[in-house]
């Protein structure tokens, strides 16, 4: 069903934000995309998004925004920084945006948190009611940002919904695929660890579904239908690309690997049933088959 034309603000208009904005602009909505860096004057921008320069870590940077907006979306990312950057961008930035929205209330607000707030290492399924005990400090900071939204929704000031997004891949993005192609992929132990993923365009679709049909103050996991073990994923890539299966990681390689790795399967049932979201790439197979054809 078509959505009536809206004024939309996307804060942190990067990989997912641009895909979302392009889609909304294509459907006739007026979209402003805020980010720190100015557009590249040599690049062709056919996205239909009006660029807006601002820095979410500075409250006064939002003052000149041409609000109000019907929908506001926060897809800002600290670009893999450490705890200090996370605090500035996710927690303090969220405070600034919520403060600005209290004076310019949208009809719906959505934020892309992360499935990293689930620290489970048991391999079990997790849903939105599962405990959130992140295994990293940065995961804790994302939870702090979530709490700010939940408090504002409970107070009836900003109708925010939170998407807990799994590992994003898609055109030009795909850390695991690139690692495999460079010959740097390694099987960790038996390769049993679960990987949870979502295609960029399905993340954008999940945001639209949550804004249009989700409920304020609610959390939704945004992940495809099928968690995949590391071994199954690498085996699939090996077969598709007709390359050998990567070797098992050595003790040294395991010692240097990222701390705080979790082992869990994330369920998307709530997002599907409450908002009608239906991913175009239900598993990594459809999504990566599209990437391998490029
Ligand atoms: N990537 C994943 O696998 C993953 C997984 C779970 C959740 N998420 C979440 O999903 C969302 C979208 O991720 P993404 O991959 O699309 O991120 P992205 O491509 O890194 O884009 C983030 C955008 O935020 C902007 N930005 C950074 N700091 C800013 C600031 N202080 N003020 C204003 N804009 C700022 C960046 O613009 P400039 O370049 O101009 O600074 C960039 O346009 C993020 O909230 C991320 O935390 C991502």
């Amino acid at each position: 069903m078509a959505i009536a034309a809206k004024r939309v603000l996307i804060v942190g208009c990067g990989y997912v934000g641009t895909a979302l904005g392009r889609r909304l602009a294509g459907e006739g909505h007026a979209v402003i995309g805020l980010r720190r860096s100015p557009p590249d004057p040599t690049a062709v921008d056919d996205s239909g998004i009006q660029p807006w320069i601002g820095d979410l870590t500075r409250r006064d940077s939002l003052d000149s925004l041409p609000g109000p907006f019907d929908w506001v979306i926060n897809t800002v990312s600290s670009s893999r920084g450490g705890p200090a950057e996370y605090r500035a961008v996710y927690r303090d930035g969220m405070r600034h945006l919520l403060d600005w929205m209290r004076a310019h209330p949208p009809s719906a607000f959505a934020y892309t948190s992360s499935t990293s707030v689930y620290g489970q290492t048991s391999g079990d399924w997790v849903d939105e009611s599962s405990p959130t005990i992140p295994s990293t400090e940065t995961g804790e900071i994302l939870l702090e940002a979530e709490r700010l939204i939940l408090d504002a929704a409970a107070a009836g000031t900003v109708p925010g919904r939170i998407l807990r997004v799994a590992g994003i891949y898609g055109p030009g993005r795909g850390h695991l695929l690139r690692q495999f192609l460079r010959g740097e992929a390694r099987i960790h132990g038996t390769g049993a660890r679960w990987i949870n993923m979502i295609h960029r365009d399905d993340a954008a679709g999940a945001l639209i579904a949550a804004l249009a049909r989700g409920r304020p103050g609610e959390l939704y996991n945004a992940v495809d239908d099928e968690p995949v073990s590391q071994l199954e994923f690498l085996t699939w890539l090996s077969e598709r690309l007709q390359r050998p299966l990567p070797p098992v990681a050595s003790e040294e390689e395991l010692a240097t690997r990222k701390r705080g790795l979790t082992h869990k399967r994330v369920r998307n049932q709530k997002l599907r049933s409450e908002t009608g979201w239906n991913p175009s790439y239900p598993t990594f197979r459809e999504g990566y088959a599209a990437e391998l054809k490029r």
Side-chain angles (χ1 to χ4, degrees):
M1 195 173 45
I3 301 163
K6 297 195 181 301
R7 281 175 55 73
V8 180
L9 170 66
I10 301 173
V11 177
C13 195
Y15 186 63
V16 171
T18 301
L20 170 68
R22 175 186 292 277
R23 179 161 155 189
L24 288 171
E27 290 170 6
H29 304 286
V31 182
I32 289 188
L34 181 147
R35 62 189 299 171
R36 284 176 305 192
S37 25
D40 174 356
T42 62
V44 179
D45 181 359
D46 59 356
S47 68
I49 303 169
Q50 182 189 340
W52 196 272
I53 305 306
D55 183 349
L56 192 56
T57 64
R58 292 183 33 222
R59 170 65 185 84
D60 62 356
S61 187
L62 304 178
D63 288 341
S64 58
L65 276 168
F69 294 91
D70 301 297
W71 283 357
V72 175
I73 301 106
N74 184 1
T75 50
V76 80
S77 159
S78 73
S79 310
R80 297 178 183 270
E85 289 82 7
Y86 265 61
R87 275 192 197 91
V89 170
Y90 292 109
R91 186 198 60 190
D92 301 343
M94 185 65 76
R95 264 196 199 118
H96 298 158
L97 186 58
L98 287 168
D99 187 46
W100 182 83
M101 283 191 287
R102 281 188 195 98
H104 308 83
S107 57
F109 167 59
Y111 167 60
T112 44
S113 181
S114 165
T115 54
S116 67
V117 299
Y118 301 114
Q120 280 79 346
T121 55
S122 59
D124 290 340
W125 284 96
V126 297
D127 65 19
E128 293 80 353
S129 65
S130 301
T132 46
I133 307 169
S135 58
T136 57
E137 191 178 351
T138 49
E140 280 293 348
I141 297 163
L142 296 182
L143 271 185
E144 283 184 58
E146 286 191 359
R147 278 193 286 270
L148 295 172
I149 297 172
L150 297 177
D151 288 349
T157 51
V158 180
R161 46 283 264 160
I162 295 164
L163 293 178
R164 289 179 173 160
V165 182
I168 299 166
Y169 70 95
R173 260 291 168 93
H175 164 68
L176 297 173
L177 173 60
R178 284 209 298 272
Q179 222 179 24
F180 180 89
L181 293 174
R182 288 197 303 263
E184 292 169 6
R186 296 288 178 272
I187 299 168
H188 292 155
T190 61
R193 192 172 85 82
W194 293 111
I195 306 172
N196 299 276
M197 294 188 259
I198 185 168
H199 190 281
R200 176 198 67 184
D201 296 347
D202 286 329
L207 280 162
I208 295 173
L211 286 157
R213 295 177 295 279
R215 290 178 293 145
E218 288 294 329
L219 298 152
Y220 300 97
N221 293 335
V223 57
D224 71 17
D225 288 342
E226 191 184 301
V228 58
S229 74
Q230 192 210 18
L231 182 59
E232 185 181 347
F233 180 65
L234 291 174
T235 304
W236 186 86
L237 281 182
S238 301
E239 286 169 1
R240 290 297 292 233
L241 295 167
Q242 301 192 333
R243 293 191 183 200
L245 193 61
V248 173
S250 66
E251 288 299 319
E252 288 99 28
E253 284 166 335
L254 279 179
T256 57
R257 84 180 187 186
K258 196 174 147 197
R259 288 176 60 208
L261 285 181
T262 59
H263 179 44
K264 70 213 173 195
R265 286 170 285 172
V266 183
R267 237 188 256 290
N268 64 16
Q269 187 53 36
K270 183 175 173 187
L271 183 67
R272 276 182 161 281
S273 61
E274 284 198 14
T275 71
W277 174 74
N278 193 12
S280 303
Y281 302 95
T283 79
F284 73 95
R285 291 179 204 84
E286 296 80 24
Y288 273 93
E291 289 319 296
L292 297 181
K293 277 200 212 119
R294 283 174 205 280

